[in-house]
Amino acid sequence: MALGLLWLGLALLGALQTQAQDSTPNPIPAPPLLRVPLQSDFQNEKFQGKWYVLGLAGNGFNKEKHSQLKMYTATYVLNEDNSYNVTSTVVWDQSCDHWTKIFIPNLHLGQFNLSNIERYTGTQNYTTRVVTTNYNQFAILYFKKVFNNQEYIKVTLYGRNKDLPSVLKEIFISFAKSLGLTEDHIIFPIPIDDCVDK
């Protein structure tokens, strides 16, 4: 009897484990970096400054789950070695939170890697590409992160102001979809004044 219950328990455990694996969605694979457009003749001095994060898309985002995400900013400060200190300002638990990452230049102008990657537990690679920008109104960036052997991609729509013409939002959506992302992976953070205008 005890042996029969043990086998039944193991069978149920195996069935639950299989069901759990089947219910975990497979993230959309990241395209090779060389297939992601890169802003030609990138001008790092013109790119620095404050950007509002107006759109996000990625294989780690879900429109329903992240529907209450609030707008935040990313401020790029150019260093002498052509790296950027990038400070994100977000509303977190009713207060303003700031964190800074350093992006160092990569092989291509407009492509950067995260500096001091060993400080970010589980992160094996983190690359950023400026896909397109006109420097004074909008930018679209592509991020690829390898975390615990899993590839994550993110596309960000930046604006120098809190609102952009709808045609730029459509370009952002089209680019995200060209990477295999769907409407469920695309979100537009809720506009706010707190923190981001300080």
Side-chain angles (χ1 to χ4, degrees), residues 166-185:
S166 57
V167 67
L168 293 175
K169 292 179 181 176
E170 290 302 320
I171 290 169
F172 163 74
I173 291 169
S174 293
F175 176 63
K177 287 182 175 179
S178 77
L179 300 174
L181 299 170
T182 68
E183 290 285 341
D184 287 337
H185 298 107

Side-chain angles (χ1 to χ4, degrees), residues 12 32-33 43 58 65 69 79 89-90 100 102 106-107 132 140 154 162 174 182 198:
L12 286 173
L33 277 176
Q43 299 173 40
K65 182 178 175 185
L69 183 69
N79 299 311
T89 302
V90 300
T100 301
I102 299 172
N106 194 306
L107 299 172
T132 185
I140 296 175
K154 178 175 77 172
K162 291 182 185 177
S174 293
T182 68
K198 294 180 181 178

Side-chain angles (χ1 to χ4, degrees), residues 52-73:
Y52 292 93
V53 177
L54 304 177
L56 292 164
N59 61 1
F61 287 107
N62 177 286
K63 186 178 279 189
E64 186 177 320
K65 182 178 175 185
H66 297 101
S67 65
Q68 296 304 306
L69 183 69
K70 292 180 174 46
M71 178 187 293
Y72 61 97
T73 61

Side-chain angles (χ1 to χ4, degrees), residues 28-31 57-60 142-144 151-155 179 181:
I28 293 165
N59 61 1
Y142 172 85
F143 298 83
K144 178 182 175 184
E151 289 185 333
Y152 294 93
I153 60 173
K154 178 175 77 172
V155 180
L179 300 174
L181 299 170

Side-chain angles (χ1 to χ4, degrees), residues 93-157:
D93 285 338
Q94 309 300 321
S95 65
C96 299
D97 196 10
H98 309 274
W99 71 87
T100 301
K101 294 178 181 174
I102 299 172
F103 288 117
I104 55 176
N106 194 306
L107 299 172
H108 306 284
L109 205 56
Q111 181 171 304
F112 302 89
N113 286 341
L114 179 63
S115 179
N116 299 321
I117 199 163
E118 61 279 355
R119 290 179 46 204
Y120 302 90
T121 305
T123 302
Q124 297 155 285
N125 190 346
Y126 195 109
T127 303
T128 303
R129 287 193 118 187
V130 179
V131 174
T132 185
T133 185
N134 65 358
Y135 302 100
N136 60 4
Q137 184 182 29
F138 83 99
I140 296 175
L141 274 70
Y142 172 85
F143 298 83
K144 178 182 175 184
K145 175 172 78 172
V146 179
F147 181 78
N148 289 336
N149 297 319
Q150 183 69 53
E151 289 185 333
Y152 294 93
I153 60 173
K154 178 175 77 172
V155 180
T156 304
L157 174 63

